[in-house]
Amino acid sequence: MEGDCLSCMKYLMFLFNFFIFLGGACLLGLGIWVIVDPTGFREIVAANPLLFTGAYIMLAMGAMLFLLGFLGCCGAIRENKCLLLFFFMFILLIFLAELSAAILAFIFRENLTREFFTKELKKHYQRNNDTDVFSSTWNSVMITFACCGVNGPEDFEAIPHLPHSSSENVIPEACCQRELQSREGMFVNKEDCLKGNERFQNRQGCYTVVLNSFETYVYLAGALAIGVLAIELFAMIFAMCLFRGIQ
């Protein structure tokens, strides 16, 4: 009976660690993608050290979970007490670190305010200069989401034009309506748009549009984080039970 209980514990330990292994692989891949993001979207918030550091924290956490999930699986299969103890101690540290990170993310969520993005846009945006990563990324966002600026077209009134540019248009081309929401999409009426005809302009600010678009994903990420913490907690419990059950 005791042997059957130990075998069941080994199976559950292996199962939980396998999920930790997969979760670590996902975090590792996501962290790498954010750091080498080819679209340059991270440049929009690069001035915020908290956000930029978060990508490296995610990368480190993913790598550690990947390694610990692997070690936990090996410890359960081979019934190695040293590996199980090593796994328990480090998964505990990661659990506490993730819990602290979640609390800090909640506290500092105010950094992602409308005012922050508005200040960054007015400071770094160079209108139609697609050689600048920040400007090119903002143009892509405005075209893709059919929006203009952070709050609306009025955000560009204080932004100077490029040197040697004869254009006196208030809004950039990216704020003009297109038949298809892509850079290849034809303008509905580019000339009237740039002359100030609101009928052919995207008037809604990107902050509201993007926030509404990603609202579902924010809740999904929160649910995923809670799930990961729960899995880690159960894995620690099973690791300690298996540790105590091995003769």
Side-chain angles (χ1 to χ4, degrees), residues 9 40 90 93 96 101 138 144 168 187 197 199 214 229 236 240 245:
M9 196 68 67
F90 274 84
L93 291 175
L96 294 175
W138 258 108
T144 301
E168 296 181 357
F187 290 99
N197 191 332
R199 179 183 174 186
F214 285 97
L229 289 174
M236 286 189 291
M240 187 52 61

Side-chain angles (χ1 to χ4, degrees), residues 161-172:
H161 292 275
L162 294 174
H164 312 297
S165 173
S166 59
S167 174
E168 296 181 357
N169 305 316
V170 174
I171 67 171

Side-chain angles (χ1 to χ4, degrees), residues 70-127:
F70 177 77
L71 291 176
C73 289
C74 292
I77 294 173
R78 301 184 60 181
E79 298 185 13
N80 189 306
K81 298 185 74 171
C82 290
L83 281 178
L84 288 173
L85 184 60
F86 175 83
F87 167 81
F88 176 83
M89 296 299 295
F90 274 84
I91 206 73
L92 176 62
L93 291 175
I94 291 177
F95 178 84
L96 294 175
E98 288 175 342
L99 192 61
S100 301
I103 294 172
L104 287 174
F106 179 80
I107 293 174
F108 289 101
R109 70 190 188 281
E110 289 82 5
N111 286 344
L112 299 179
T113 60
R114 187 186 297 268
E115 291 73 22
F116 169 76
F117 285 110
T118 302
K119 182 181 70 173
E120 291 301 302
L121 179 70
K122 292 181 178 180
K123 182 178 179 181
H124 300 292
Y125 185 68
Q126 299 180 23
R127 295 184 176 267

Side-chain angles (χ1 to χ4, degrees), residues 59-74:
L59 186 66
M61 287 295 177
M64 292 182 69
L65 286 176
F66 181 86
L67 176 61
L68 288 175
F70 177 77
L71 291 176
C73 289
C74 292

Side-chain angles (χ1 to χ4, degrees), residues 1 4 18-19 23-24 61-62 67 104 107 118 120 129 150 155 163 174-175 177 209 223 231:
M1 187 70 179
D4 292 339
F18 181 70
F19 282 118
M61 287 295 177
L67 176 61
L104 287 174
I107 293 174
T118 302
E120 291 301 302
N129 181 15
V150 178
D155 290 342
C175 287
Q177 294 180 6
V209 174
I231 289 173

Side-chain angles (χ1 to χ4, degrees), residues 24-80:
C26 291
L27 281 177
L28 187 61
L30 186 60
I32 293 173
W33 179 81
V34 171
I35 291 173
V36 300
D37 178 15
T39 64
F41 185 75
R42 68 186 177 89
E43 296 294 335
I44 294 179
V45 291
N48 192 324
L50 181 67
L51 298 174
F52 194 71
T53 304
Y56 289 95
I57 293 176
M58 185 189 306
L59 186 66
M61 287 295 177
M64 292 182 69
L65 286 176
F66 181 86
L67 176 61
L68 288 175
F70 177 77
L71 291 176
C73 289
C74 292
I77 294 173
R78 301 184 60 181
E79 298 185 13
N80 189 306

